[in-house]
Amino acid sequence: MFSKQTAKGGATVENLPAVHDGGRRHSAPKVASLISADIAIKGNLSGGGDLHLDGTIKGDVKVERLTIGETGHVQGSITAETVDVRGRVSGAITAKQVRLFSTAHVDGDITHEQLSMEIGAYFQGRSLKLQRPAPAAAPQPEADVVALPAAE
């Protein structure tokens, strides 16, 4: 179905057909990267996708969306669009949306637009409102300076 056998018995991979809908091409839905409970990473981690963490990261994490499972632990700062915490965080979190579930244990400041906490979640730190940058003002045209004759 997804591969065909070559004459020598080896397999070659074929591209799957694209799904078309009214002439528009759809890409496959994003799949989160997974760091399982038996994995520990020492160092910073960054990427543009989604990450589900059940293991341990000792370093800063910067991704689009981070989900920390019940066995997950981050020792460092987190920067993302959305952060869901069911495990432990020791460090600052900066995200538009932060959700702390009942099993969450966060020790650090949270900078956010939206913050929700379930009963039972532990949070020690400051809750700070995310400051969006002010829209760039259009440059004002400079006024022409005209010298007036002195009154006599």
Side-chain angles (χ1 to χ4, degrees):
M1 178 176 178
F2 298 111
S3 64
K4 69 178 178 184
Q5 295 291 326
T6 62
K8 296 180 183 178
T12 58
V13 177
E14 294 179 357
N15 290 332
L16 296 175
V19 177
H20 293 281
D21 180 20
R24 287 185 267 163
R25 187 180 193 137
H26 293 280
S27 61
K30 280 187 175 181
V31 176
S33 297
L34 173 66
I35 298 176
S36 64
D38 57 344
I39 301 293
I41 296 175
K42 187 174 184 179
N44 299 335
L45 184 66
S46 65
D50 298 358
L51 175 64
H52 183 96
L53 174 67
D54 286 328
T56 301
I57 296 177
K58 292 183 180 182
D60 298 339
V61 178
K62 186 174 185 178
V63 293
E64 187 174 321
R65 179 183 174 92
L66 177 63
T67 302
I68 301 173
E70 290 186 20
T71 60
H73 187 188
V74 174
Q75 292 179 335
S77 66
I78 297 171
T79 304
E81 290 290 315
T82 303
V83 177
D84 293 341
V85 181
R86 291 178 175 84
R88 298 180 66 91
V89 175
S90 301
I93 299 173
T94 303
K96 287 184 180 178
Q97 183 180 38
V98 179
R99 290 185 287 202
L100 305 182
F101 291 85
S102 63
T103 56
H105 184 104
V106 176
D107 189 8
D109 295 345
I110 299 176
T111 305
H112 58 86
E113 283 185 12
Q114 297 177 339
L115 173 64
S116 65
M117 292 176 53
E118 288 185 354
I119 294 173
Y122 175 86
F123 170 46
Q124 178 69 43
R126 296 180 299 165
S127 169
L128 305 167
K129 189 71 172 168
L130 185 65
Q131 298 295 324
R132 287 187 164 242
Q140 298 291 333
E142 293 184 26
D144 292 332
V145 178
V146 179
L148 298 175
E152 292 184 23

